[in-house]
Every structure is written in structure tokens, then in C-alpha cells.
Amino acid sequence: MFTITYRISFVNQLPHSKEYFFLKTSSFLTKSIYITYLKMSIIEENGACRCRCIKFKVTGYKLFNGLCHCKSCSYNRGMSPVHVIAVTPAGGVEIIEGKEFLRKVKGDGKMRHKFCSNGGVEIYQGPKGADFRGILPTNFHIEDGVSCLLPEKYKPECHVNYENRQYDWNDDLPKFKAHP
């Protein structure tokens, strides 16, 4: 992912594209508005729960890829942090087999978690009504029989909800108090 930041005076000066996600910020000192466009990379992958009752396909844009320390993720997985990749649009996560095994669990606030009722593995999560789904890269089953290391494109890029961490992490990833 790469960023492009513009200092603008008129909104119509901005480039428009489905593959860009933008963050609007303003500067108190210069009274300027800054728009940061994040170039989202395409994600296309197949995955399954541990017992393989549920199989899914992911096709969309990678909106976010990080280690989440929030209490909702931590409580639902029994660990912290949890590696989550957000994919947009929400329909980009498609169940291709085993829909009858998919169960919804209400999380904190608007969070909804979808699990396999047979093996208990989470398939995806996301706030109700949001146009993205959080998926877990461990469900891609991309191991090659020799290594379980994630490919570079799926390695976490940041920590989010870092204020909820259980201990400090000594890595070079950016650490955000909440979602950026």
C-alpha cells in the first residue's frame, strides 16, 4: 500500500477511483484540509475453517492489515493481538461451501462475528452495516508443507487499538491508539 497526500482548496481537485480509500485530516495551524489517499492492493484468496466444513473466497481490496489489540477481537479469540485483514467490499468475502455451518455471534457494540458451528473457527467479522469484512489470514491455509510463514503481502503492517495491549511490542510496526 502507498499513500498520496494532497493539500486542497476544492474537493473537485481530487482524483477519484474505486481502488483508493481516503482519510480526511485538517491542520489547525495552517487551516488547510489534507486528503490522504491510500492505494489499496487487490486481494484474491481462497480459505476454509480448520475442519473444512466452510470454504470461502475473498476478492476485493485490502483496506487494512494489522494486529488488533481491541477487547472484542481478544475476547473472541482468547488471545491478543489478533491478525486481521479488512477486505472491501463486504460482499468480497463469499461463502462457497458450507453456509449451513455458519453461525453469527454478536460482539461488542455493532461487531458481528461469523464462526463455523462445527469447529468453532471464526470465518470473518465486521461492524453491522459496514462495507468491509475482517478476515483472518491463518484461514487461507497457504502452508506449503515446509513453512507456515505468511507471504510478505499478508504480513501485518501496523498495530491498532494499541492502548488495549496486554504488554508492549518491540517491533518496528506503527502503533495506533485506535483505528487510523
Side-chain angles (χ1 to χ4, degrees):
M1 181 176 354
F2 67 87
T3 63
I4 306 168
T5 304
Y6 294 93
R7 181 171 183 243
I8 63 162
S9 22
F10 301 103
V11 174
N12 62 1
Q13 293 177 335
L14 297 173
H16 295 284
S17 169
K18 281 194 228 176
E19 61 189 46
Y20 286 91
F21 172 73
F22 69 91
L23 304 170
K24 178 180 171 188
T25 57
S26 58
S27 168
F28 176 74
L29 297 174
T30 62
K31 297 187 178 169
S32 297
I33 294 175
Y34 293 88
I35 303 290
T36 300
Y37 273 81
L38 303 175
K39 171 91 169 145
M40 295 184 289
S41 58
I42 294 173
I43 182 170
E44 293 181 276
E45 198 67 62
N46 292 313
C49 62
R50 186 181 62 79
C51 66
R52 304 285 203 269
C53 286
I54 298 176
K55 294 181 181 166
F56 62 91
K57 180 179 181 177
V58 177
T59 306
Y61 292 100
K62 186 170 60 169
L63 179 61
F64 164 85
N65 179 2
L67 298 170
C68 184
H69 297 265
C70 81
K71 293 302 175 192
S72 182
C73 284
S74 299
Y75 291 148
N76 279 297
R77 297 328 165 297
M79 61 178 285
S80 179
V82 174
H83 185 184
V84 178
I85 298 176
V87 175
T88 187
V93 179
E94 177 188 1
I95 305 300
I96 54 177
E97 191 177 310
K99 289 181 185 178
E100 67 273 16
F101 293 103
L102 197 63
R103 296 293 178 264
K104 178 172 65 172
V105 175
K106 186 179 180 315
D108 296 336
K110 292 182 175 184
M111 284 300 289
R112 303 295 182 263
H113 303 269
K114 298 284 183 120
F115 288 87
C116 170
S117 62
N118 190 49
V121 170
E122 181 169 273
I123 305 301
Y124 64 84
Q125 66 181 38
K128 185 177 183 179
D131 194 29
F132 70 89
R133 295 289 179 257
I135 56 172
L136 309 171
T138 53
N139 290 344
F140 290 156
H141 297 283
I142 51 182
E143 301 87 9
D144 61 8
V146 177
S147 174
C148 293
L149 292 176
L150 286 172
E152 202 60 39
K153 65 183 178 179
Y154 295 137
K155 289 186 179 174
E157 299 166 353
C158 64
H159 289 266
V160 295
N161 297 304
Y162 196 67
E163 68 182 351
N164 295 320
R165 68 192 178 278
Q166 294 179 340
Y167 48 87
D168 292 333
W169 285 74
N170 296 315
D171 58 32
D172 294 331
L173 297 175
K175 294 161 178 72
F176 298 97
K177 181 177 180 180
H179 280 283

